[in-house]
Amino acid sequence: MCGRYYRRSDKQRIADAFRLGKLPDGFVLPPADYNIAPTTFQPVIRADKETGERELVTMRWGMVPYFAKSLADFKGFSTINAKAETLTSKPMWRGPFQRRRCLVPADGFYEWKTLDAKTKQPYAFTLRSGDPFAFGGIWDAWKEPDGGWLQSFAIITTDPNELTTTVHNRMPVILKPSEYDRWLTRDDAEHPPVDLLRPYDAGEMKGFPVDSRVGNVRNNEPGLCEAYECPPNSA
């Protein structure tokens, strides 16, 4: 499960990290977000259908498939994550995984560790290098009743690595820069890159407890993703 993440990088840093070149005139990147929640619109990177070049666009987090009859069909049914194990078997995920893969820029993500029946401690996970990184994502487009198109995405999850397993039994798929081109290519829909759906190297990551205020989506400030000194016996 990856139900919350954060993005501190500005437009230029994302452009440099993901080799986007010149961004389209007038493109407005959503402001830095330290507590990204489902249904919000966030930047993702995909391959342009005509040129194959990387393009930065904004999409809704929580994938709505093209065959949906209405958004109401998905109330109480989460599509923010897609399990790596079911990408090739479930119709909802199969088409996007074959043809509509994307990169989801992030600087870190949150998971909650169960301490007892009433208490959970949030942790942040990020790269030791401090560089922005990309979750492996898939996207789809749904035609709205007014004729417009809603583009939306899901983050793929896989088994945890040695670090994240101390907090949660899933982690998001994190891709290396050398894998971006292969992930984004549309050329071989019959052979999607299933080998990239594995836990990220734990040695290149770090995790630390953060303020429990991150549990409320109304809270959104830089301090939420900073290390927090837990009360005794809480970590």
Side-chain angles (χ1 to χ4, degrees), residues 7-15 23 26-32 41-44 56-58 105:
R7 175 180 45 78
R8 292 186 290 200
S9 297
D10 59 19
K11 182 165 63 174
Q12 189 57 54
R13 193 177 189 210
I14 289 177
L23 296 177
F27 179 85
V28 178
L29 182 75
F41 283 78
Q42 301 299 330
V44 303
L56 185 64
V57 297
T58 56

Side-chain angles (χ1 to χ4, degrees), residues 77-99:
F77 176 62
S78 178
T79 58
I80 63 172
N81 293 155
K83 286 188 174 183
E85 299 90 329
T86 62
L87 286 175
T88 60
S89 59
K90 289 193 174 182
M92 179 171 176
W93 308 128
R94 186 167 57 237
F97 181 49
Q98 290 176 328
R99 300 177 178 85

Side-chain angles (χ1 to χ4, degrees), residues 130-175:
D131 295 330
F133 58 87
F135 299 129
I138 54 177
W139 66 276
D140 211 340
W142 173 66
K143 193 169 186 178
E144 299 177 285
D146 63 3
W149 288 91
L150 175 65
Q151 298 186 59
S152 55
F153 70 96
I155 293 171
I156 301 171
T157 65
T158 187
D159 294 328
N161 59 24
E162 296 89 341
L163 175 66
T164 58
T165 194
T166 61
V167 174
H168 202 272
N169 61 1
R170 302 288 294 178
M171 72 173 292
V173 168
I174 297 175
L175 300 168

